[in-house]
C-alpha cells in the first residue's frame, strides 16, 4: 500500500511539472504575439508618414534631366579629351592646316569623320578633306552628319558647336552649315584646285579688258593674292595621303609649295595612334625651304 501511494505521489509531481511548463510556454508565446501585434499596429500608423518624406525618383528625373547622364561615359569622354589635348601639346610642332587626301575608290565616311574629330581634338584649326572624284563634296551633308555623330560619341560634346565649311564646286562661294568655334572642316574636290587658278586668271584678264588694271600689273604675287582671298585659309603644312597612288591628285596645286606629304596605306580602320604617329613624324621633320 505504501508503494502505491508513492507511485501516485510521483505521478502528481510529474503532472505539476508539466502544467508549470505549459503555463510558462503559453506566457512567452502570448507576450511575443502581443509584441508583434503592437509592432504591426505602430508600423501601420507610421508608414504613411514615412512615405510622405521620400522623394519621387521619377519626379526627380523629370526635374533634373542632367542627372540621367551616365557618369562612366562622361568620365571616359573627359579622359579622352584630356589625353588628346596633352598629345597635341607634347608635339614639337602642330600643323595649323592639315589635309586628308583619299586616293581610294570607296571612301569611308565614318573613318574620315574620326580623323577630322581627332585632328580638331589635338588642336588643329583647319582640316581639309579631299578626294579626286569629288565624292565627299557631292555628299557633304552625309559627311557633316557623321562628323557631328563622331564628335558626340568620341568627345561627348555638342557637335553643333563646330564650324563645318564646304566649298561649292567651281565657285568661291562658301556654304556655312554651322558657324561658331575655332576648328573648321573644308571639303574639297579637283574643281577647288586647278579650277580656282583658272578663275583667278580670268578675273585678271577681265580687269585688264575693263581697264581696271594694266597688263604690267599682272604678276605671280597678284595671282597669289587672288587665290588666297578666295580660300581664306592658310596653306596646309601637312597632307596625309591614304592609298597606293603616289600622286597629289590635284589637291590645291597652288597652295602646297611647302606642304609635307606623309602616306598611310588606307584610311579604312585607321586609328588615333596612326594619326598621332603621322603628327610625330611631321613634328620631327625639318623643312629647309629650298635652302
Amino acid at each position: 500500500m505504501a508503494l502505491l501511494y508513492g507511485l501516485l505521489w510521483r505521478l502528481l509531481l510529474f503532472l505539476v511539472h508539466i502544467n508549470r511548463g505549459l503555463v510558462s510556454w503559453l506566457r512567452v508565446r502570448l507576450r511575443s504575439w502581443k509584441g508583434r501585434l503592437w509592432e504591426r499596429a505602430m508600423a501601420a500608423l507610421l508608414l504613411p508618414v514615412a512615405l510622405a518624406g521620400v522623394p519621387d525618383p521619377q519626379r526627380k528625373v523629370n526635374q533634373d534631366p542632367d542627372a540621367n547622364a551616365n557618369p562612366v561615359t562622361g568620365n571616359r569622354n573627359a579622359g579622352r579629351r584630356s589625353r588628346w589635348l596633352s598629345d597635341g601639346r607634347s608635339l614639337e610642332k602642330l600643323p595649323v592646316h592639315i589635309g586628308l587626301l583619299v586616293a581610294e575608290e570607296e571612301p569611308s565616311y565614318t573613318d574620315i569623320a574620326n580623323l577630322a574629330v581627332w585632328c580638331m581634338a589635338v588642336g588643329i584649326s583647319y582640316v581639309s578633306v579631299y578626294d579626286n572624284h569629288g565624292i565627299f563634296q557631292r555628299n557633304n551633308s552625309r559627311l557633316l552628319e557623321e562628323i557631328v555623330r563622331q564628335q558626340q560619341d568620341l568627345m561627348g560634346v555638342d557637335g553643333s558647336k563646330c564650324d563645318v565649311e564646304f566649298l561649292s564646286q567651281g565657285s568661291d562661294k562658301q556654304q556655312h552649315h554651322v558657324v561658331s568655334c575655332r576648328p573648321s572642316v573644308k571639303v574639297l574636290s579637283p574643281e577647288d584646285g586647278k579650277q580656282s587658278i583658272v578663275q583667278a586668271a580670268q578675273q585678271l584678264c577681265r580687269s585688264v579688258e575693263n581697264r581696271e588694271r594694266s597688263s604690267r600689273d599682272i604678276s605671280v604675287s597678284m595671282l597669289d593674292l587672288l587665290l588666297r582671298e578666295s580660300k581664306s585659309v592658310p596653306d596646309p603644312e601637312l597632307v596625309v595621303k591614304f592609298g597606293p597612288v603616289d600622286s597629289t591628285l590635284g589637291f590645291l596645286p597652288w597652295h602646297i609649295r611647302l606642304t609635307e606629304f606623309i602616306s598611310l596605306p588606307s584610311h579604312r580602320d585607321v586609328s588615333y595612334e596612326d594619326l598621332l604617329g603621322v603628327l610625330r613624324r611631321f613634328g620631327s621633320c625639318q623643312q629647309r625651304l629650298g635652302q
Side-chain angles (χ1 to χ4, degrees), residues 50-105:
L51 291 177
V54 177
D56 186 359
Q58 186 64 34
R59 183 183 305 171
K60 183 177 180 181
V61 168
N62 295 334
Q63 291 177 351
D64 186 10
D66 295 336
N68 292 327
N70 190 337
V72 176
T73 303
N75 293 336
R76 183 169 62 249
N77 291 332
R80 285 173 176 173
R81 291 195 298 270
S82 177
R83 178 200 172 188
W84 293 334
L85 286 174
S86 176
D87 289 340
R89 296 190 187 101
S90 68
L91 296 171
E92 295 184 18
K93 60 180 178 178
L94 190 67
V96 177
H97 182 185
I98 186 173
L100 305 177
L101 194 164
V102 180
E104 297 176 90
E105 293 297 328

Side-chain angles (χ1 to χ4, degrees), residues 147-160:
I147 290 175
V148 171
R149 179 162 50 248
Q150 293 305 319
Q151 271 191 312
Q152 295 171 346
D153 292 344
L154 297 175
M155 302 179 65
V157 298
D158 186 1
S160 64

Side-chain angles (χ1 to χ4, degrees), residues 66-236:
D66 295 336
N68 292 327
N70 190 337
V72 176
T73 303
N75 293 336
R76 183 169 62 249
N77 291 332
R80 285 173 176 173
R81 291 195 298 270
S82 177
R83 178 200 172 188
W84 293 334
L85 286 174
S86 176
D87 289 340
R89 296 190 187 101
S90 68
L91 296 171
E92 295 184 18
K93 60 180 178 178
L94 190 67
V96 177
H97 182 185
I98 186 173
L100 305 177
L101 194 164
V102 180
E104 297 176 90
E105 293 297 328
E106 297 182 2
S108 169
Y109 292 88
T110 300
D111 290 313
I112 290 297
N114 286 340
L115 286 165
V117 172
W118 291 330
C119 288
M120 293 184 287
V122 298
I124 298 175
S125 299
Y126 299 94
V127 180
S128 292
V129 180
Y130 177 91
D131 71 285
N132 65 318
H133 300 296
I135 297 175
F136 286 120
Q137 195 173 71
R138 288 195 300 271
N139 300 279
N140 51 26
S141 59
R142 178 179 175 185
L143 180 60
L144 170 63
E145 292 174 358
E146 193 64 38
I147 290 175
V148 171
R149 179 162 50 248
Q150 293 305 319
Q151 271 191 312
Q152 295 171 346
D153 292 344
L154 297 175
M155 302 179 65
V157 298
D158 186 1
S160 64
K161 294 181 180 179
C162 182
D163 178 12
V164 180
E165 179 182 344
F166 298 107
L167 298 178
S168 58
Q169 292 185 11
S171 172
D172 294 333
K173 296 181 180 179
Q174 298 170 351
Q175 306 171 13
H176 287 271
H177 288 261
V178 191
V179 178
S180 174
C181 73
R182 184 174 61 91
S184 176
V185 177
K186 289 178 176 288
V187 180
L188 305 172
S189 69
E191 285 76 9
D192 299 306
K194 294 181 180 180
Q195 185 64 30
S196 63
I197 299 176
V198 172
Q199 290 175 351
Q202 291 174 343
Q203 184 178 347
L204 286 175
C205 292
R206 283 193 299 268
S207 65
V208 173
E209 183 181 5
N210 298 332
R211 297 185 177 180
E212 298 172 356
R213 288 190 179 95
S214 170
S215 59
R216 299 176 182 176
D217 297 331
I218 298 179
S219 63
V220 174
S221 59
M222 177 78 64
L223 181 60
D224 181 72
L225 179 63
L226 290 176
L227 289 170
R228 296 189 186 286
E229 287 178 350
S230 67
K231 293 295 178 284
S232 67
V233 295
D235 291 347

